[in-house]
Amino acid sequence: MTMPDDDILAPRKPRSGTHSRADFSGRETRGPIIDQEGHEIRPETLEQGFREFRFEFGEGSGQGFGQGFSQGFGNGNPFGNLTREQRIARFEAIAKLLDIAFVLPGTNIRYGIDGLIGLIPVVGDVITTAISLWLVREARALGAPWYVTARMLGNVAVDGVVGIVPFAGDAFDVLFRANMRNVRLLRRWLDKQPRM
């Protein structure tokens, strides 16, 4: 059953004499803003955060890109003040995006943007290898020991070297999934760590 376009654009009024409990017209306050942990966020805090968030490239001061980038965010740096759990979740989300984000229609074959970007000769493989290396660096920042990061680097190296071969390397990327292997390595190591 399909809904007519008129019902999508102008929803029908309820048939009974009672009004709907939800009013989405924006005329009334919808309630407090809640963060991911379930704590209420005051509106003035949000306004302060938006004022602090700025992006500058350090023009006119002779700063390099990196300095302007890091100083331009001020206290609103979206990359720096993450909890350990948030960093692990980001690690896993990026790995899934790279390796298994999509399903080939009509099959169970999963692939990610690593396989798509890798179709661009040389440049695509350099970009995806750089992202994979950043994930290894992130694992090291999370406390992964040298033997875990060494295995991760091995996975990235195999993926990068074989990925250079046109088409066959891209098929290998889809099947090998170096980033998901690295997620499993990190997860195995994290599961052995004592809970705090």
Side-chain angles (χ1 to χ4, degrees):
M1 178 176 158
T2 60
M3 180 181 279
D5 290 341
D6 293 338
D7 286 345
I8 295 170
L9 299 174
R12 295 180 193 161
K13 301 218 184 295
R15 292 182 189 167
S16 67
T18 61
H19 294 287
S20 172
R21 281 192 258 159
D23 181 13
F24 297 107
S25 63
R27 288 174 285 185
E28 296 179 18
T29 306
R30 293 189 182 144
I33 300 170
I34 306 296
D35 68 5
Q36 291 178 339
E37 285 90 34
H39 302 108
E40 183 177 343
I41 301 173
R42 294 189 324 268
E44 57 271 11
T45 306
L46 285 175
E47 292 169 11
Q48 177 67 27
F50 287 126
R51 280 195 300 268
E52 289 177 356
F53 187 82
R54 61 191 183 281
F55 190 83
E56 299 171 1
F57 287 102
E59 313 96 7
S61 61
Q63 295 176 336
F65 172 76
Q67 291 173 326
F69 180 81
S70 61
Q71 291 174 356
F73 279 106
N75 295 332
N77 185 349
F79 303 111
N81 300 325
L82 298 177
T83 66
R84 182 177 172 85
E85 290 76 25
Q86 289 170 329
R87 291 177 80 172
I88 293 167
R90 178 179 63 181
F91 183 97
E92 290 178 348
I94 292 172
K96 286 178 182 177
L97 179 66
L98 285 170
D99 287 346
I100 60 170
F102 313 107
V103 178
L104 194 64
T107 69
N108 287 331
I109 299 172
R110 298 189 72 86
Y111 65 97
I113 62 170
D114 186 357
L116 296 175
I117 295 173
L119 291 172
I120 304 168
V122 182
V123 175
D125 295 310
V126 168
I127 290 170
T128 57
T129 301
I131 296 170
S132 297
L133 288 172
W134 179 80
L135 287 176
V136 174
R137 182 212 151 280
E138 190 69 10
R140 187 69 181 152
L142 287 166
W146 66 269
Y147 61 89
V148 173
T149 54
R151 288 186 65 190
M152 289 179 168
L153 285 172
N155 288 335
V156 173
V158 168
D159 188 41
V161 169
V162 177
I164 291 174
V165 178
F167 300 111
D170 297 317
F172 179 80
D173 278 345
V174 170
L175 299 174
F176 185 67
R177 299 178 182 160
N179 299 297
M180 291 308 297
R181 288 173 184 257
N182 289 345
V183 166
R184 284 193 296 275
L185 285 170
L186 182 65
R187 268 283 164 212
R188 258 186 249 136
W189 175 77
L190 287 170
D191 289 342
K192 293 177 184 173
Q193 303 310 303
R195 300 281 179 207
M196 295 190 182

